[in-house]
Amino acid sequence: MGLLSDPVRRRALARLVLRLNAPLWALPVAWLERTMRSIGLEVYTQSFSRKLPFPDETHERYMVSGTNVYGILRAPRAASTESLVLTVPCGPDSANSQAVGLLLALAAHFRGQIYWAKDIIFLLTEHDLLGTEAWLEAYHDVNVTGMQSSSLQGRAGAIQAAVALELSSDVVTSLDVTVEGLNGQLPNLDLLNLFQTFCQKGGLLCTLQGKLQPQDWTSLDGPLQGLQTLLLMVLRQASGRPHGPHGLFLRYGVEALTLRGINSFRQYKYDLVAVGKALEGMFRKLNHLLERLHQSFFFYLLPALSRFVSIGLYMPAAGFLLLVLGLKALELWMQLHEAGVGPEEGGGSPGPSASLLPAQGVGLASLVAPLLISQAVGLALYILPVLGQHVATQHFPVSESEAVVLTLLAIYAAGLALPHNTHRMVTIQALDRGWMTLKLVALIYLALQLGCITLTNFSLGFLLAATMVPAAVLTKPQGPRPLYAALLVLTSPAAVLLGSLFLWRELQEVPLSLAEGWQLFLSALAQGVLEHHIYGALLFPLLSLGLYPCWLLFWNVLFWK
Amino acid sequence: MAAAYFLNRSATALAAFLLLSFGSSAASQIEDQAEQFFRSGHTNNWAVLVCTSRFWFNYRHVANTLSVYRSVKRLGIPDSHIVLMLADDMACNPRNPKPATVFSHKNMELNVYGDDVEVDYRSYEFTSPRRSDHRIPSGDCSSSFSPLLNVSCLFCFHSMTLYNELLFIIDTCQGASMYERFYSPNIMALASSQVGEDSLSHQPDPAIGVHLMDRYTFYVLEFLEEINPASQTNMNDLFQVCPKSLCVSTPGHRTDLFKRDPKNVLITDFFGSVRKVEITTETVSLQQDSETTDGSYKEDQTEEELIEPLKYAEQLPVAQIIHQKPKLKDWHPPGGFILGLWALILMVFFKTYGIKHMKFIF
């Protein structure tokens, strides 16, 4: 599949690289240091290294080491208690060649002004987001992701806000802004408003999710386009990936945005002076701030750059979905107790208490097995792929990342075969209503998990609830089993991921064919596992340790004998 | 996003200035000319100029106060009779692109922080001396917040005969709420906006990056620039400054506590320290003020008599005049004892009536 699938080719490439005795790509650290020093900044470097859990197929790297370079512009008349950051992520394939030039030009311009009340840090990171994470961890003196980074020599105070820049060409037709960060965290809406204000002032064309702003809100087109933008934002936020360096800043309480320059085929182009003016205006406004940005919303959804939906409006939707789960659980509870009371009244008076207790005991005992086994499968899904990748590559002609993905899929599918095995473990004659108890427990478990997920990452919680709740509620052993089985498989977490990939591409107006979609799905799985290990993204553990076992319980309910 | 003009919403109280003028024992029996000479009774003018706004984005409040300071000095009040209080230092703020200046007109036409500005209470020395009685407001504009000087404090001033006549001007959101509560006599008050309205700022400067002046003060200053020490304009003209079309808010004034008719009151009575000089070739004979001399002589004679114990002047019934809002006691959630008691009661209730009647719930 990839360049490194064939172990023979891999060895050949490794030998070639060694023979060249040169890194494939590296940041010109010495030149950058010299240039920044000549501008008048205080320049420092930081080295970091990280061994990835498995080689990344898209970037072809395993042992990552690099150097970050940053220059600090000290405020001329203020104590260095606060700072702002302008960061440009550099990497071998990242399309960011022009942004470094703009950063240096801005640094030189800013150095000549006397109105700075905060220090400004100009940060260039290697291996884009890995370098950013290393720098942030060293700056805040923490170690959340197992990165080995050298400590920073120069610091500048608490970071108030950060702007990340990605430019691949020296003229742009539009500026695209990204707000979604790691685990669905968002910056304060004021920062986005700031950017939008300067877009309007400078006459720049600014886009959100790559879509232009709808002009006509009175007819149906405007709201439809807004809905598309909103859905794109929901999908992006649900994936929990940091879509740019800003996503990593958000975790440390620093409001941040990523601006991407796009060069399309439009006729009217803006040069870097226009982009620089917008950035200068943003930094000057941030300079005037006395407190961290906190007045506006932290939880919102954006149908357009100038409109937003606040959490008070969209949270009830998720609440109603979870209420469905609660109501179904209540109904099952009542049914269980009615059925429990029925045989009790039929029997003699000394009988009732004696017969009720063993029935309940049997019910609970038959629950423990499915629960434990589902959770064990979930645990296996979480641990085994990365742990067993080397064993897999020895036995099969696949690369490590492919091994990880295929192991994931294999364990996922193996879970589907479980109900036939679970029942062999239950020796006691389980009551016919045993499945109701299991379903009750599964419903409550699902409601709890989805509730917790919705509170922190609304998009993920809503997406999963909208797909899993109907199937979970409808599942029962009686009735058309193949139909229910198909419904349940289609709403399992993996299928939701696949479906949302197709939907995402469809909304971006770049639809996928089935084969392409499948490839994208596989790479998304690999990315998810990788990002969990290197940034601490929570999508992979949530799905494998939490939602997949829950879904397996419903699968067990469906195949209850 | 941004409204058409910058709203004064988050400001603290804006420049408020009081002018105290001490009375003099005016009555002397001399000719009419000399009597007219001392007609106004304002021989000792003080100005207290207060700006209670901090932070860089309240640049315009400090510019307001400094502009009025400049006018008042130009009309004759010396620095020894001006108390200037500024809550924050704009001229030396690290965000000021032109350090050591404070501009009040855009395009930096007029630097009001010149060479001879004397600030008496500056930045963080500026804390409320008696915290319990009056707070310096911070936060949003709210109606009827207590200013630096409380209304009863003004009454103390009156009863201690600290002032003869007082002009109170305030430029802030909901400014009328400040003078509504006054009950001391001889006060004339002006405010830039009514209750429920905001006072708006005038013009932003793109080089400095903040708004430089407020509308009301801008037009008051334009008005004052035309006053010279000899002008005869009266208070009614000051009330007409800045109609709603220019100021957007509705300026208000209050004259019911003031004894004289506003149209007889000269602007320079309050804003200037006018030293009137009249040259005459005739001699003016001053009669001895027999009353006062007799009085003082009598005092010496009656020293041995018991002096009545001094006491404060008869106070007005303050509580009846100011409607006291009942002070809300803080609500505390019920303590653990009460919660436990209720839990016990509920448990007993359910046990008594039996659970099987509640099977649909349990």
Side-chain angles (χ1 to χ4, degrees):
Chain A
M1 291 185 210
L3 178 65
L4 303 177
S5 299
D6 187 2
V8 176
R9 278 198 223 150
R10 241 185 310 168
R11 281 193 284 270
L13 188 62
R15 259 183 268 127
L16 182 65
V17 165
L18 271 170
R19 204 176 303 153
L20 284 179
N21 200 20
L24 285 170
W25 187 92
L27 204 59
V29 171
W31 179 82
L32 279 170
E33 274 188 278
R34 245 186 358 254
T35 319
M36 285 209 220
R37 212 163 267 137
S38 70
I39 293 175
L41 309 175
E42 289 178 21
V43 186
Y44 303 97
T45 58
Q46 183 217 8
S47 59
F48 64 93
S49 71
R50 178 83 158 100
K51 184 166 162 297
L52 298 183
F54 54 89
D56 181 12
E57 203 172 43
T58 48
H59 296 292
E60 309 283 350
R61 55 194 181 186
Y62 193 21
M63 180 74 190
V64 175
S65 64
T67 318
N68 296 331
V69 183
Y70 62 105
I72 306 181
L73 169 69
R74 298 283 180 193
R77 290 177 285 146
S80 299
T81 47
E82 296 171 339
S83 55
L84 302 167
V85 177
L86 178 62
T87 176
V88 164
C90 302
D93 69 328
S94 74
N96 225 351
S97 45
Q98 303 295 324
V100 180
L102 183 59
L103 177 127
L104 293 172
L106 277 174
H109 177 71
F110 286 179
R111 184 74 176 89
Q113 312 299 325
I114 59 166
Y115 46 68
W116 297 111
K118 304 187 212 281
D119 294 346
I120 306 186
I121 304 178
F122 296 93
L123 174 66
L124 288 153
T125 57
E126 201 167 355
H127 297 290
D128 34 54
L129 293 182
L130 278 171
T132 316
E133 182 62 32
W135 189 83
L136 280 169
E137 282 188 6
Y139 197 88
H140 293 95
D141 208 15
V142 292
N143 198 343
V144 263
T145 59
M147 180 95 60
Q148 287 119 27
S149 49
S150 66
S151 59
L152 295 181
Q153 258 108 46
R155 266 190 109 253
I159 307 179
Q160 307 291 84
V163 177
L165 198 57
E166 289 182 20
L167 282 177
S168 54
S169 58
D170 58 344
V171 285
V172 290
T173 54
S174 61
L175 273 179
D176 190 53
V177 63
T178 314
V179 288
E180 306 87 8
L182 187 65
N183 295 328
Q185 209 176 346
L186 298 170
N188 197 291
L189 192 56
D190 269 338
L191 197 57
L192 187 71
N193 293 343
L194 180 69
F195 169 68
Q196 214 249 339
T197 312
F198 280 101
C199 278
Q200 277 181 338
K201 268 199 182 166
L204 285 174
L205 184 63
C206 294
T207 60
L208 182 68
Q209 314 291 346
K211 287 196 178 295
L212 295 169
Q213 304 310 303
Q215 305 299 328
D216 182 20
W217 287 95
T218 49
S219 71
L220 201 56
D221 293 330
L224 262 182
Q225 200 179 342
L227 183 65
Q228 281 183 334
T229 317
L230 189 84
L231 278 176
L232 276 170
M233 180 172 172
V234 165
L235 289 171
R236 267 191 157 178
Q237 199 184 2
S239 70
R241 309 183 62 188
H243 294 96
H246 73 286
L248 299 171
F249 276 88
L250 290 172
R251 192 175 16 194
Y252 298 91
V254 176
E255 312 305 328
L257 278 181
T258 298
L259 301 180
R260 218 165 263 129
I262 298 187
N263 195 8
S264 67
F265 293 107
R266 293 177 85 87
Q267 240 185 346
Y268 194 78
K269 299 196 192 277
Y270 305 94
D271 63 350
L272 288 185
V273 175
V275 177
K277 274 191 192 163
L279 281 170
E280 185 200 355
M282 282 176 75
F283 270 86
R284 225 176 139 185
K285 274 259 173 169
L286 289 170
N287 179 44
H288 280 197
L289 285 177
L290 282 132
E291 303 163 316
R292 286 178 186 269
L293 287 166
H294 68 281
Q295 301 279 4
S296 187
F297 294 91
F298 286 100
F299 298 98
Y300 48 88
L301 291 174
L302 298 168
L305 262 182
S306 51
R307 284 162 196 256
F308 73 97
V309 184
S310 83
I311 185 169
L313 283 177
Y314 64 62
M315 200 49 110
F320 283 128
L321 277 174
L322 297 179
L323 190 67
V324 169
L325 286 175
L327 288 175
K328 184 70 186 178
L330 196 64
E331 187 203 333
L332 279 173
W333 178 273
M334 282 170 24
Q335 279 177 1
L336 274 174
H337 272 263
E338 264 176 46
V341 163
E344 184 194 323
E345 285 174 355
S349 41
S353 51
S355 67
L356 188 58
L357 278 174
Q360 274 189 347
V362 163
L364 282 177
S366 75
L367 277 187
V368 170
L371 274 174
L372 273 182
I373 294 179
S374 309
Q375 208 62 48
V377 177
L379 201 65
L381 192 66
Y382 179 67
I383 296 180
L384 276 183
V386 176
L387 210 59
Q389 55 176 308
H390 298 290
V391 176
T393 45
Q394 280 171 7
H395 293 280
F396 300 99
V398 288
S399 68
E400 280 91 350
S401 59
E402 287 165 6
V404 167
V405 170
L406 293 174
T407 319
L408 268 177
L409 288 174
I411 300 179
Y412 197 90
L416 294 180
L418 271 180
H420 307 285
N421 302 326
T422 319
H423 282 261
R424 291 198 201 130
M425 290 203 55
V426 177
T427 50
I428 309 170
Q429 183 77 28
L431 284 175
D432 189 45
R433 307 173 297 114
W435 67 266
M436 285 167 86
T437 327
L438 181 61
K439 187 172 172 186
L440 178 65
V441 171
L443 282 172
I444 295 177
Y445 190 31
L446 185 66
L448 276 177
Q449 277 183 9
L450 286 179
C452 293
I453 294 176
T454 310
L455 285 176
T456 50
N457 188 348
F458 169 78
S459 305
L460 181 63
F462 185 78
L463 200 63
L464 290 169
T467 48
M468 290 180 77
V469 164
V473 162
L474 289 174
T475 310
K476 53 181 192 272
Q478 298 95 15
R481 221 172 243 197
L483 187 65
Y484 283 142
L487 183 65
L488 205 54
V489 168
L490 280 177
T491 57
S492 68
V496 170
L497 180 61
L498 184 62
S500 52
L501 278 174
F502 276 102
L503 180 64
W504 177 54
R505 277 302 188 91
E506 187 68 44
L507 285 170
Q508 281 189 328
E509 289 159 28
V510 187
L512 290 169
S513 65
L514 276 178
E516 285 173 2
W518 182 252
Q519 288 288 346
L520 194 63
F521 175 62
L522 292 180
S523 71
L525 285 176
Q527 288 284 318
V529 178
L530 194 62
E531 280 177 6
H532 167 63
H533 285 276
I534 55 180
Y535 306 131
L538 289 176
L539 185 67
F540 173 55
L542 276 175
L543 287 185
S544 62
L545 288 175
L547 282 162
Y548 177 64
C550 198
W551 181 84
L552 267 186
L553 288 177
F554 286 106
W555 189 252
N556 275 329
V557 166
L558 184 62
F559 285 98
W560 194 271
K561 285 204 211 346
Chain B
M1 217 77 41
Y5 19 72
F6 182 85
L7 288 181
N8 207 352
R9 212 167 279 282
S10 65
T12 55
L14 304 185
F17 44 94
L18 315 162
L19 298 175
L20 307 170
S21 65
F22 284 90
S24 66
S25 53
S28 319
Q29 297 91 4
I30 51 174
E31 288 90 0
D32 291 340
Q33 202 179 20
E35 183 152 3
Q36 200 181 17
F37 192 66
F38 289 107
R39 181 168 58 87
S40 71
H42 284 235
T43 56
N44 190 357
N45 279 0
W46 281 74
V48 177
L49 302 163
V50 178
C51 166
T52 53
S53 300
R54 285 198 186 139
F55 309 135
W56 174 247
F57 48 82
N58 288 322
Y59 184 101
R60 62 192 182 284
H61 306 149
V62 173
N64 288 349
T65 316
L66 285 171
S67 313
V68 176
Y69 171 81
R70 196 181 151 272
S71 293
V72 147
K73 252 177 100 159
R74 182 178 61 80
L75 290 171
I77 302 186
D79 271 320
S80 54
H81 283 219
I82 301 181
V83 179
L84 178 62
M85 306 188 192
L86 297 176
D88 202 354
D89 188 6
M90 295 306 166
C92 300
N93 193 304
R95 293 169 182 80
N96 195 342
K98 306 266 182 244
T101 60
V102 173
F103 290 105
S104 68
H105 280 71
K106 71 171 172 193
N107 300 324
M108 292 175 268
E109 288 163 12
L110 182 60
N111 174 17
V112 289
Y113 199 80
D115 290 332
D116 57 348
V117 167
E118 214 180 274
V119 183
D120 298 295
Y121 294 93
R122 54 175 72 243
S123 59
Y124 297 96
E125 299 163 3
F126 195 56
T127 56
S128 177
R130 281 168 280 177
R131 287 237 132 209
S132 55
D133 275 344
H134 26 260
R135 316 169 263 118
I136 297 182
S138 59
D140 302 357
C141 295
S142 53
S143 63
S144 186
F145 43 79
S146 41
L148 176 60
L149 291 178
N150 209 330
V151 288
S152 53
C153 209
L154 283 174
F155 185 71
C156 290
F157 286 176
H158 169 73
S159 57
M160 290 191 272
T161 59
L162 274 178
Y163 70 88
N164 182 22
E165 285 173 343
L166 196 143
L167 175 66
F168 182 86
I169 305 186
I170 182 161
D171 186 353
T172 177
C173 305
Q174 327 217 14
S177 66
M178 295 279 271
Y179 62 64
E180 274 169 3
R181 296 271 185 94
F182 287 165
Y183 55 87
S184 320
N186 289 337
I187 296 184
M188 183 164 11
L190 283 120
S192 63
S193 55
Q194 302 296 324
V195 175
E197 286 181 343
D198 291 319
S199 280
L200 302 177
S201 59
H202 188 57
Q203 39 181 273
D205 182 281
I208 300 183
V210 284
H211 286 253
L212 295 185
M213 278 289 260
D214 282 314
R215 285 176 185 251
Y216 183 69
T217 314
F218 183 78
Y219 292 108
V220 164
L221 275 162
E222 255 186 9
F223 175 78
L224 285 179
E225 289 288 311
E226 290 151 25
I227 309 286
N228 54 52
S231 69
Q232 298 291 313
T233 38
N234 54 38
M235 278 298 169
N236 272 346
D237 300 327
L238 186 60
F239 296 157
Q240 306 307 322
V241 162
C242 209
K244 190 165 171 139
S245 56
L246 284 175
C247 257
V248 188
S249 57
T250 321
H253 54 91
R254 185 178 175 184
T255 51
D256 55 317
L257 293 167
F258 203 70
K259 289 208 183 70
R260 298 193 278 153
D261 191 2
K263 69 173 189 294
N264 293 335
V265 180
L266 293 180
I267 299 279
T268 49
D269 279 351
F270 284 105
F271 282 91
S273 193
V274 176
R275 299 272 177 261
K276 289 191 183 142
V277 176
E278 298 255 0
I279 302 180
T280 171
T281 51
E282 303 162 12
T283 47
V284 175
S285 61
L286 297 169
Q287 290 176 8
Q288 242 189 3
D289 192 4
S290 53
E291 286 176 9
T292 47
T293 46
D294 287 347
S296 60
Y297 182 65
K298 275 199 191 117
E299 247 182 56
D300 289 336
Q301 282 184 334
T302 59
E303 248 177 53
E304 300 91 34
E305 292 180 19
L306 261 175
I307 304 173
E308 274 185 13
L310 299 169
K311 59 175 189 227
Y312 276 115
E314 193 72 43
Q315 302 273 350
L316 287 179
V318 171
Q320 285 175 16
I321 293 170
I322 304 179
H323 297 292
Q324 300 277 9
K325 268 209 301 209
K327 222 174 158 186
L328 285 171
K329 271 228 197 94
D330 286 330
W331 180 81
H332 294 286
F337 171 74
I338 298 182
L339 276 175
L341 193 65
W342 274 106
L344 190 64
I345 292 173
L346 282 171
M347 263 172 38
V348 170
F349 171 80
F350 282 128
K351 256 197 118 59
T352 321
Y353 284 94
I355 294 194
K356 61 176 194 254
H357 290 274
M358 309 279 224
K359 65 178 175 186
F360 290 108
I361 300 176
F362 294 104

